[in-house]
């Protein structure tokens, strides 16, 4: 086994992209991208820290929770999390981001790349209010690239198929796993108690 250490080596193995794989890339969000985003309740946000390590985190809410004020801008509200601020800290240091949008039941995905800033503007936060809850900040993403990703990965994984759904009981509870990861001696929180706690702090 040998590590691939140059782009030439890599291309020798895979060849060059061609046809629609290249032509589909846009420098803006067109009507199809906008429609996809409006139907998406879930995305994965990819960032990179100053230490060079990448990070990918989930973001989810009602379908269309990401707003698109114009063809070159996304606004993503930041909902309550664990306060680690991994993604936001990365963006402060390196603003480049990748966003992958998913729609349940749809095998294609939408990839958007650009740069982001963290904004606490009240009007932007108000526009993403849920009942009495304002996001602490929003991410304002300037779109540089956008393109639809083909269905192969989700087809192979059968991600939306009932036949591939895994019963939660196949894994230890989150509390049990966290107990091991944190080397805690405390009684682990039950899955039911954890879910109830989450439901009370979604926004």
């Amino acid at each position: 086994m040998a590590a691939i250490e140059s782009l030439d080596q890599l291309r020798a193995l895979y060849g060059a992209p061609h046809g629609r794989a290249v032509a589909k890339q846009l420098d803006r969000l067109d009507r199809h991208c906008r429609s996809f985003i409006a139907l998406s309740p879930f995305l994965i946000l990819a960032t990179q820290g100053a230490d060079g390590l990448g990070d990918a985190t989930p973001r989810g809410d009602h379908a269309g929770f990401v707003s698109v004020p114009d063809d070159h801008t996304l606004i993503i509200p930041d909902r309550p999390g664990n306060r680690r601020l991994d993604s936001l800290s990365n963006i402060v240091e390196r603003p480049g981001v990748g966003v992958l949008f998913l729609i349940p039941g749809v095998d294609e995905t939408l990839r958007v790349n650009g740069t982001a800033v963290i904004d606490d503007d009240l009007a932007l936060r108000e526009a993403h209010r849920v009942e009495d809850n304002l996001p602490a900040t929003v991410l304002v993403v300037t779109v540089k690239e956008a393109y639809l990703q083909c269905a192969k990965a989700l087809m192979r994984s059968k991600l939306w198929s009932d036949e591939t759904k895994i019963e939660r009981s196949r894994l230890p509870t989150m509390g049990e796993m966290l107990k091991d990861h944190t080397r805690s001696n405390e009684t682990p929180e039950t899955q039911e108690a954890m879910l109830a706690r989450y439901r009370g702090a979604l926004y």
Side-chain angles (χ1 to χ4, degrees), residues 28-43:
R28 67 193 185 287
L29 301 171
D30 72 348
R31 64 187 178 93
H32 300 299
C33 296
R34 285 171 172 266
S35 295
F36 202 104
I37 293 166
L39 292 172
S40 174
F42 182 81
L43 63 84

Side-chain angles (χ1 to χ4, degrees), residues 97-119:
V97 298
V99 185
L100 180 70
F101 289 95
L102 291 91
I103 301 173
V106 175
D107 284 342
E108 291 79 19
T109 56
L110 175 67
R111 295 170 64 175
V112 179
N113 299 322
T115 57
V117 296
I118 306 164
D119 201 321

Side-chain angles (χ1 to χ4, degrees), residues 8 11 13 23 27 29 34 46 51 55 68 74 80 88 90 116 122 129 139 156 160 193 197-198 201:
D8 288 341
R11 282 296 174 199
L13 286 173
D27 63 358
L29 301 171
R34 285 171 172 266
D51 57 5
D55 190 55
V68 186
L74 296 174
L88 300 186
N90 288 347
L122 182 57
R129 173 192 289 272
L139 286 182
R156 285 191 293 259
W160 309 126
R197 180 167 55 81
Y198 287 165

Side-chain angles (χ1 to χ4, degrees), residues 69-184:
D70 59 61
D71 291 351
H72 295 277
T73 309
L74 296 174
I75 300 179
I76 306 172
D78 190 61
R79 304 303 186 194
N82 56 20
R83 300 185 185 179
R84 284 178 55 108
L85 304 182
D86 295 316
S87 297
L88 300 186
S89 297
N90 288 347
I91 288 168
V92 168
E93 297 177 318
R94 294 189 177 185
V97 298
V99 185
L100 180 70
F101 289 95
L102 291 91
I103 301 173
V106 175
D107 284 342
E108 291 79 19
T109 56
L110 175 67
R111 295 170 64 175
V112 179
N113 299 322
T115 57
V117 296
I118 306 164
D119 201 321
D120 66 354
D121 177 79
L122 182 57
L124 292 178
R125 293 163 60 214
E126 284 283 1
H128 296 84
R129 173 192 289 272
V130 175
E131 297 178 350
D132 293 330
N133 304 290
L134 286 177
T137 61
V138 298
L139 286 182
V140 181
V141 179
T142 299
V143 175
K144 304 294 186 182
E145 300 173 345
Y147 50 97
L148 292 164
Q149 182 73 38
C150 77
K152 291 178 184 176
L154 273 72
M155 289 173 66
R156 285 191 293 259
S157 65
K158 300 180 181 179
L159 185 63
W160 309 126
S161 174
D162 286 341
E163 68 182 278
T164 60
K165 287 184 178 178
I166 303 298
E167 292 293 330
R168 182 62 185 78
S169 60
R170 293 279 298 277
L171 287 169
T173 67
M174 185 67 164
E176 290 168 336
M177 291 188 283
L178 287 176
K179 180 178 185 296
D180 290 342
H181 289 176
T182 60
R183 298 177 178 83
S184 172

